[in-house]
């Protein structure tokens, strides 16, 4: 009986199930993603994304997560870390990488890198050198 009641309530909720997915503003989300890709080294605040997309920060966060599986902030950090790996592969110093990509300092880069990839940037670089050798 409780299960039937829950299903009936979900059927009446316009934000549940497929209704939520059909309400994604794909154009706005693509603008946000493209902006984050292009401006990864910069500080991007939610008000800038709100202006670009026309969505408030809550709708943007909810729809972005539904579309891309992560928050806009985490997406931005991952774009920075992708660039960090490319720069480190070209033997840039960790301090230079951190500065160029908008991290507060080298330890901030290291913490974010370890959280995302499970190894420190120095260890990652050493592993890459072993693979190339």
């Amino acid at each position: 009986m409780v299960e039937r009641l829950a299903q009936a309530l979900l059927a009446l909720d316009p934000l549940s199930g497929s209704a939520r997915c059909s309400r994604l503003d794909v154009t706005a989300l693509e603008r946000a993603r493209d902006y984050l890709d292009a401006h990864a080294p910069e500080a991007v605040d939610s008000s800038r994304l709100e202006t670009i997309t026309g969505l408030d920060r809550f709708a943007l966060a909810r729809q972005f997560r539904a579309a891309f599986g992560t928050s806009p902030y985490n997406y931005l950090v991952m774009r920075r870390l992708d660039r960090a790996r490319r720069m480190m592969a070209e033997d840039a110093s960790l301090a230079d990488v951190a500065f160029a990509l908008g991290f507060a300092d080298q330890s901030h880069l290291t913490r974010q890198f370890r959280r995302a990839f499970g190894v420190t940037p120095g260890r990652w670089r050493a592993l890459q050198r072993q693979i190339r050798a």
Side-chain angles (χ1 to χ4, degrees):
M1 176 144 163
V2 173
E3 183 180 349
R4 285 190 311 187
L5 176 62
Q7 289 175 349
L9 290 172
L10 281 173
L12 294 172
D13 182 10
L15 297 179
S16 68
S18 62
R20 177 177 285 165
C21 293
S22 66
R23 291 183 178 212
L24 293 180
D25 187 341
V26 176
T27 304
L29 295 173
E30 288 175 350
R31 281 195 307 264
R33 183 185 58 192
D34 292 345
Y35 185 84
L36 292 172
D37 287 341
H39 296 88
E42 302 168 19
V44 178
D45 61 4
S46 61
S47 63
R48 182 69 185 139
L49 291 178
E50 289 176 49
T51 302
I52 291 167
T53 62
L55 300 170
D56 67 65
R57 66 183 176 158
F58 301 109
L60 174 62
R62 186 173 47 254
Q63 290 187 34
F64 199 94
R65 185 176 300 279
F68 304 116
T70 191
S71 69
Y73 175 75
N74 283 335
Y75 183 88
L76 177 68
V77 169
M78 291 307 298
R79 297 300 66 79
R80 288 177 178 173
L81 293 174
D82 288 342
R83 291 180 184 191
R85 288 189 301 183
R86 286 194 299 270
M87 290 177 71
M88 289 174 5
E90 297 169 358
D91 288 329
S93 75
L94 295 180
D96 289 342
V97 171
F99 177 76
L101 296 177
F103 290 100
D105 54 23
Q106 183 177 334
S107 65
H108 183 218
L109 165 65
T110 299
R111 282 191 309 275
Q112 294 293 331
F113 198 96
R114 184 183 308 133
R115 188 186 83 159
F117 303 119
V119 294
T120 65
R123 180 70 180 134
W124 180 86
R125 185 180 295 195
L127 291 170
Q128 292 302 305
R129 287 180 179 154
Q130 287 178 351
I131 290 170
R132 284 186 264 165

